Amino acid sequence: MSTTDTANKATASEKSAEKTSARTQAEPVLQVERRDFVDLVPENRARVQPMRGFDPCYTDIVDYIVRCTHKIWDERDVGLIYSHYTHNCVLYNALGTIYTREQVVLDTLQRLVAFPERRGMATQVIWNGNDVDGFYTSHLVTGSGRHTQPSQYGKPTNRTFTTRTVADCMILENKIYREWVVSDNMSLMRQLGLDTDQIAYNMAKEQFDKGFRLTEIGENRRLLGQYPPESDPDYTLAHSDIEAQVLGWLHEIYNKRMLGKVKEVYASNVQWHGPLMKELYGQASVIHQTLALIGMIPDGAWMPQHICSNPCEEGGTKVAVRWVMEGHHLGYGELGKPTGQRLLVMGMSHYHVVNGKIVDEWVVYDHLAMLAQIKLGQLAETEA
């Protein structure tokens, strides 16, 4: 090859790289809300994000999490887990932890057995990160289907259901190495007409027989001795001003119990999408439902674990918060008479903030997992 040919080739390569860079800057990462499924898993779309180590079919991180979730759960390509999870991945859910890839495969197969018609529709994906340090995604899924097969839940009821799940994933080079999953299982069991008390007992007994016991925490982090709640949350979790602002709002509401803050930071026409598939409207509904959780666990400490956000094509910003609430079942509510048992609530919340106000909130936590924790504590007391 001549020197001229080499130079021409180099120039062509540089121009191609410039076009790729320009396209990456010009075309945004996919957003879920206003796109049909076929647009979320595009064919022949060039990459708009650097995706070092990812399979060629993935054009950005939203495409990745929507497409691989669809392949595994809807197309039943369960074996894809071997190329999309590390061998030593850790998966946290509301009652128990999975520590290996093979356990993830087993758990996925068992869930697919009961609901072969289930389809999971991506509702939102909020993310941060990059292909060098790793990505973090918070994926809200609306699942629907029918209970048509025998399973751990007993005989099929042939009833239909609609539920919400949020899966938060940490991803590097095509593989998920840590995941948190929260599903509204109490809503699912009720829609199927099943005995939730018995199911919660069965869940607890399974954990109990494996030797697991809930560890009594005593004094939690919200109140130390006779001091009042801390004035400020841990702002080091925030990556932007709006994330810090949301952390401040939630700390004031959940930890300082200043529920009047809801009227300041939620829009008057806010829509609230909560556990048990509740769809409510207005500030009063938000106050009531927030009180319902705090009232059941009146000594509870609300602790954010991760926050991320994206500008939204609909306007404003979408913010995802992963959190836990730790305390004791000391108040009346959805779980009935107080038992005094220790409770750890895993929760995921997505907020749409427009002009300094929350106009939509999606929150998922599982009353069934809480009920199972109560049963586990009671089994431990009986043993003692």
Side-chain angles (χ1 to χ4, degrees), residues 164 184 254 262 266-267 269-293 323 348-351 358-365 367:
R164 280 190 280 263
D184 190 358
Y254 282 95
V262 169
Y266 284 77
N269 61 344
V270 60
Q271 297 187 47
W272 189 86
H273 320 266
L276 308 177
M277 292 306 293
K278 291 181 180 177
E279 297 285 345
L280 301 174
Y281 302 88
Q283 297 164 340
S285 295
V286 175
I287 292 172
H288 183 271
Q289 296 304 309
T290 306
L291 270 173
L293 176 59
W323 53 271
M348 313 281 201
S349 300
H350 284 194
Y351 302 92
I358 298 171
V359 298
D360 267 300
E361 177 181 355
W362 294 261
V363 57
V364 180
Y365 55 86
H367 290 89

Side-chain angles (χ1 to χ4, degrees), residues 199-306:
I199 290 172
Y201 175 82
N202 294 342
M203 292 166 63
K205 189 66 166 61
E206 182 180 352
Q207 296 292 313
F208 183 82
D209 290 343
K210 292 177 180 178
F212 290 104
R213 305 291 185 270
L214 287 173
T215 303
E216 181 52 65
I217 58 169
E219 188 174 62
N220 68 35
R221 201 175 78 178
R222 178 176 165 266
L223 299 173
L224 299 176
Q226 299 181 56
Y227 286 96
E230 294 175 352
S231 298
D232 297 312
D234 182 3
Y235 286 117
T236 61
L237 293 174
H239 309 90
S240 65
D241 289 344
I242 192 164
E243 291 177 14
Q245 188 176 40
V246 168
L247 287 176
W249 293 344
L250 298 176
H251 179 76
E252 184 137 342
I253 292 168
Y254 282 95
N255 286 329
K256 298 176 76 173
R257 313 299 200 233
M258 298 294 286
L259 279 89
K261 189 73 174 178
V262 169
K263 292 185 291 183
E264 294 180 30
V265 302
Y266 284 77
S268 59
N269 61 344
V270 60
Q271 297 187 47
W272 189 86
H273 320 266
L276 308 177
M277 292 306 293
K278 291 181 180 177
E279 297 285 345
L280 301 174
Y281 302 88
Q283 297 164 340
S285 295
V286 175
I287 292 172
H288 183 271
Q289 296 304 309
T290 306
L291 270 173
L293 176 59
I294 296 174
M296 279 194 299
I297 316 172
D299 68 335
W302 185 91
M303 295 171 285
Q305 295 186 317
H306 187 272

Side-chain angles (χ1 to χ4, degrees), residues 97-295:
T97 303
I98 294 174
Y99 290 102
T100 69
R101 180 168 58 199
E102 201 58 40
Q103 281 186 288
V104 174
V105 172
L106 174 62
D107 184 69
T108 304
L109 290 170
Q110 288 299 305
R111 292 176 186 276
L112 288 173
V113 165
F115 309 114
E117 297 178 17
R118 180 193 176 276
R119 292 293 179 267
M121 294 165 286
T123 304
Q124 286 185 157
V125 177
I126 303 172
W127 63 276
N128 67 5
N130 56 63
D131 64 332
V132 175
D133 303 310
F135 288 104
Y136 188 102
T137 61
S138 187
H139 184 192
L140 172 61
V141 177
T142 303
S144 60
R146 196 159 57 100
H147 183 210
T148 60
Q149 296 295 320
S151 66
Q152 67 265 41
Y153 306 121
K155 295 179 180 179
T157 63
N158 291 311
R159 292 192 180 190
T160 59
F161 63 87
T162 302
T163 61
R164 280 190 280 263
T165 297
V166 181
D168 279 22
C169 295
M170 297 179 76
I171 309 153
L172 181 66
E173 295 187 358
N174 209 71
K175 285 186 169 62
I176 295 166
Y177 62 93
R178 197 165 298 154
E179 182 174 12
W180 294 259
V181 179
V182 178
S183 298
D184 190 358
N185 289 309
M186 181 68 89
S187 174
L188 171 62
M189 298 302 123
R190 287 183 178 179
Q191 290 176 63
L192 299 183
L194 300 178
D195 184 345
T196 54
D197 199 68
Q198 184 61 51
I199 290 172
Y201 175 82
N202 294 342
M203 292 166 63
K205 189 66 166 61
E206 182 180 352
Q207 296 292 313
F208 183 82
D209 290 343
K210 292 177 180 178
F212 290 104
R213 305 291 185 270
L214 287 173
T215 303
E216 181 52 65
I217 58 169
E219 188 174 62
N220 68 35
R221 201 175 78 178
R222 178 176 165 266
L223 299 173
L224 299 176
Q226 299 181 56
Y227 286 96
E230 294 175 352
S231 298
D232 297 312
D234 182 3
Y235 286 117
T236 61
L237 293 174
H239 309 90
S240 65
D241 289 344
I242 192 164
E243 291 177 14
Q245 188 176 40
V246 168
L247 287 176
W249 293 344
L250 298 176
H251 179 76
E252 184 137 342
I253 292 168
Y254 282 95
N255 286 329
K256 298 176 76 173
R257 313 299 200 233
M258 298 294 286
L259 279 89
K261 189 73 174 178
V262 169
K263 292 185 291 183
E264 294 180 30
V265 302
Y266 284 77
S268 59
N269 61 344
V270 60
Q271 297 187 47
W272 189 86
H273 320 266
L276 308 177
M277 292 306 293
K278 291 181 180 177
E279 297 285 345
L280 301 174
Y281 302 88
Q283 297 164 340
S285 295
V286 175
I287 292 172
H288 183 271
Q289 296 304 309
T290 306
L291 270 173
L293 176 59
I294 296 174

